[in-house]
């Protein structure tokens, strides 16, 4: 890149601001883990964001060490490793058995197997500058995948017309972080840092726009719940079916004409015994 190395002070400034904003983003889950500590349970929370965060931080440190001139990338990701490790320890300690086992499987898959294979393969199969290029591409692809993840949140916001699952402060912080690291990568002449963050601040700006579009909208789920409650209240109201009313009227009319003196006695002559057929018919009509 043309600007690479020409503005060292500006590069350092963007890297330093990127460290500060990223540190704030790392601390954003603290209220969640305070709730976990108070309730002594992880409830419905999942550990995968913190496993991904730890894996990403380790990957970027490895890349920065190979590159050799990205000290600010090492500092923030070292802090990230400490914080994400703390989150995972708390999660595993308070998680129920099933969630704990799933977390340990994820840690084994990403941290031990995944990161271990990347280090081993690049150390033995690549030499010199090629090693940094390969790890840089891995960081680039992985970061792009991470930045695409918020599309699920964007889809949820548009579908429900609710911003409940998209906190505005976190969206702003992530956008600022992406902007800072984009300019840091650009001024440093490192497209592996710059390119993923273009996607990061693009999605960040999209989330902020959606927040202001839908923040005053009535959520779709609320409308459905209201309709459901109205239907339930209608079902609870006592109603007499029209067919029942008509059957009752027919029964009264039949009983008017069926008198004891008009009913034939099965033993001959006229008696007071009600005809079994007429009686059953009246009951059937009433039912």
């Amino acid at each position: 890149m043309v600007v690479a190395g020409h503005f060292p002070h500006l590069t350092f400034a963007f890297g330093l601001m990127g460290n500060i904003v990223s540190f704030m983003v790392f601390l954003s889950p603290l209220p969640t883990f305070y709730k976990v500590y108070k309730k002594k349970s992880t409830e419905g929370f999942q550990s995968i964001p913190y496993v991904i965060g730890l894996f990403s931080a380790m990957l970027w440190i490895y890349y920065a060490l190979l590159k050799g001139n990205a000290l600010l990338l090492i500092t923030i990701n070292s802090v990230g490793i400490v914080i994400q490790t703390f989150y995972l320890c708390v999660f595993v300690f308070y998680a129920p058995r099933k969630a704990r086992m799933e977390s340990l499987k994820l840690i084994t898959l990403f941290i031990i197997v995944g990161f271990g294979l990347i280090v081993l393969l690049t150390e033995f199969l690549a030499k010199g500058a090629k090693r940094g290029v390969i790890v840089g591409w891995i960081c680039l692809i992985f970061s792009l995948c991470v930045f695409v993840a918020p599309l699920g949140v964007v889809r949820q916001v548009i579908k429900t017309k609710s911003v409940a699952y998209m906190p505005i402060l976190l969206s702003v912080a992530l956008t600022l972080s992406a902007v800072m690291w984009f300019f840091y990568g650009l001024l440093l002449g490192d497209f592996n840092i710059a390119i993923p963050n273009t996607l990061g601040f693009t999605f960040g700006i999209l989330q902020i726009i959606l927040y202001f579009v839908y923040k005053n909208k009535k959520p779709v789920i609320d409308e459905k719940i209201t309709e459901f409650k109205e239907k339930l209240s209608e079902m609870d109201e006592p109603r007499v079916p029209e067919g029942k009313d008509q059957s009752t009227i027919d029964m009264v009319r039949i009983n008017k004409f069926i008198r004891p003196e008009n009913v034939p006695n099965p033993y001959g002559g006229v008696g007071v015994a009600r005809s079994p057929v007429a009686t059953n018919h009246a009951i059937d009509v009433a039912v």
Side-chain angles (χ1 to χ4, degrees), residues 51 55 103-117:
V51 176
F55 177 73
S103 300
L104 293 174
K105 286 178 183 178
L106 285 172
I107 293 169
T108 303
L109 179 64
F110 279 92
I111 308 304
I112 299 176
V113 178
F115 184 74
L117 281 175

Side-chain angles (χ1 to χ4, degrees), residues 66-140:
L66 292 174
K67 187 175 177 60
N69 63 340
L71 178 63
L72 292 173
L73 205 60
I74 295 175
T75 56
I76 188 57
N77 284 291
S78 298
V79 173
I81 287 176
V82 174
I83 294 175
Q84 300 292 357
T85 302
F86 168 74
Y87 290 154
L88 284 171
C89 288
V90 174
F91 187 94
V92 170
F93 185 78
Y94 288 112
R97 179 177 174 80
K98 184 178 179 182
R100 184 183 297 116
M101 295 306 297
E102 289 178 354
S103 300
L104 293 174
K105 286 178 183 178
L106 285 172
I107 293 169
T108 303
L109 179 64
F110 279 92
I111 308 304
I112 299 176
V113 178
F115 184 74
L117 281 175
I118 290 171
V119 173
L120 288 174
L121 291 175
T122 51
E123 286 292 329
F124 289 104
L125 300 181
K127 295 180 181 179
K130 283 186 177 181
R131 191 179 300 153
V133 172
I134 293 170
V135 176
W137 274 102
I138 294 171
C139 290
L140 173 63

Side-chain angles (χ1 to χ4, degrees), residues 13-192:
F14 275 110
L16 182 61
M17 287 187 289
N19 270 251
I20 295 170
V21 178
S22 295
F23 179 70
M24 294 169 62
V25 173
F26 280 137
L27 293 180
S28 62
L30 273 178
T32 298
F33 281 90
Y34 180 72
K35 290 179 183 178
V36 170
Y37 168 74
K38 292 291 286 184
K39 293 184 177 181
K40 302 293 187 289
S41 172
T42 56
E43 296 182 329
F45 297 116
Q46 294 184 348
S47 63
I48 190 166
Y50 314 108
V51 176
I52 295 295
L54 178 59
F55 177 73
S56 177
M58 293 173 67
L59 204 57
W60 280 110
I61 284 182
Y62 182 46
Y63 173 70
L65 290 172
L66 292 174
K67 187 175 177 60
N69 63 340
L71 178 63
L72 292 173
L73 205 60
I74 295 175
T75 56
I76 188 57
N77 284 291
S78 298
V79 173
I81 287 176
V82 174
I83 294 175
Q84 300 292 357
T85 302
F86 168 74
Y87 290 154
L88 284 171
C89 288
V90 174
F91 187 94
V92 170
F93 185 78
Y94 288 112
R97 179 177 174 80
K98 184 178 179 182
R100 184 183 297 116
M101 295 306 297
E102 289 178 354
S103 300
L104 293 174
K105 286 178 183 178
L106 285 172
I107 293 169
T108 303
L109 179 64
F110 279 92
I111 308 304
I112 299 176
V113 178
F115 184 74
L117 281 175
I118 290 171
V119 173
L120 288 174
L121 291 175
T122 51
E123 286 292 329
F124 289 104
L125 300 181
K127 295 180 181 179
K130 283 186 177 181
R131 191 179 300 153
V133 172
I134 293 170
V135 176
W137 274 102
I138 294 171
C139 290
L140 173 63
I141 294 169
F142 182 77
S143 296
L144 287 173
C145 293
V146 171
F147 280 123
V148 169
L151 282 177
V153 177
V154 170
R155 180 177 175 273
Q156 185 76 4
V157 170
I158 295 172
K159 184 179 178 181
T160 62
K161 296 182 181 177
S162 171
V163 293
Y165 300 100
M166 191 177 67
I168 185 62
L169 291 178
L170 183 58
S171 297
V172 171
L174 290 172
T175 305
L176 286 175
S177 176
V179 171
M180 299 307 168
W181 288 113
F182 166 75
F183 282 108
Y184 176 75
L186 183 68
L187 294 169
L188 197 64
D190 193 331
F191 71 92
N192 291 321

Side-chain angles (χ1 to χ4, degrees), residues 198-235:
T198 58
L199 200 61
F201 69 70
T202 300
F203 285 135
I205 292 170
L206 176 62
Q207 289 180 50
I208 294 170
I209 292 171
L210 285 175
Y211 178 85
F212 286 104
V213 169
Y214 290 108
K215 70 173 183 175
N216 295 322
K217 296 277 188 180
K218 186 178 180 182
V220 173
I221 187 169
D222 287 348
E223 294 175 1
K224 291 182 178 178
I225 290 173
T226 303
E227 292 176 2
F228 182 68
K229 286 181 178 178
E230 289 176 355
K231 288 181 180 179
L232 282 179
S233 61
E234 290 177 2
M235 290 173 65

